[in-house]
Every structure is written in structure tokens, then in C-alpha cells.
Amino acid sequence: MIDRLNKDSNPTRNYTRTLYKGNTYVALATSGKGINDIDLIVYRKSGSNWIQLDKDTDNSDVAVVEFECTATGQYKFEIKGYSYETNITEAFFGFILAF
């Protein structure tokens, strides 16, 4: 999917998906021109809480997290534009979830 981030009004996007036990998933977020550093954090819903499973918060324009789904349920993917190019306030990014 393609979406956009705005560093002033909407620097984070969240996507929720149902994932299935026993599958290994790879989540990838990558930015185009405008975002120098994009971060990806993966959460699993437990009751009414979100538990962080893994994250990629290095200093690059590609974020990748691979994880094994240990329980069928709701998972949240949080994508943040951490650093933008000079004079850029809004930029597009791609998000892919595969198993």
C-alpha cells in the first residue's frame, strides 16, 4: 500500500491486520523522496493492550521487521517518519506485509 506522512500534522500511520498463528511475517516500510529515516514498530493485541513485539528504528529510509506469529489475532504496524529532507513536510511511503 502507498500512503503519506506529514511531519507536522500526521507523522505516524497505524495499520491493524488479523494475522494467523504459525506463519512467519515480514513487514517492510520504505520511503520515497522526502523521508530520510522511517521507523516500523510491530504490536500484538493482548486483551485491551498492545504489546510491542519488535521494531526497526535504525537510521535509514527502509524499515524491515520479520517475526513469527505465535497467536492468531490483531496486530498493529506503526510507521513513523523520523527524519525528513530539508524543506519537506509531506512525503509518500510504501508498506508491505508478506508471509
Side-chain angles (χ1 to χ4, degrees), residues 47-63:
S48 61
N49 298 315
W50 289 101
I51 308 300
Q52 183 178 311
L53 294 180
D54 203 350
K55 64 183 177 179
D56 180 332
T57 56
D58 64 8
N59 297 323
S60 74
D61 61 356
V62 176

Side-chain angles (χ1 to χ4, degrees), residues 33-76:
K33 182 175 173 54
I35 302 174
N36 295 324
D37 182 4
I38 195 165
D39 294 337
L40 171 64
I41 305 171
V42 180
Y43 300 88
R44 178 179 55 83
K45 192 159 191 180
S46 177
S48 61
N49 298 315
W50 289 101
I51 308 300
Q52 183 178 311
L53 294 180
D54 203 350
K55 64 183 177 179
D56 180 332
T57 56
D58 64 8
N59 297 323
S60 74
D61 61 356
V62 176
V64 179
V65 175
E66 181 176 352
F67 63 99
E68 184 172 340
C69 186
T70 58
T72 297
Q74 293 291 300
Y75 289 75
K76 179 170 72 172

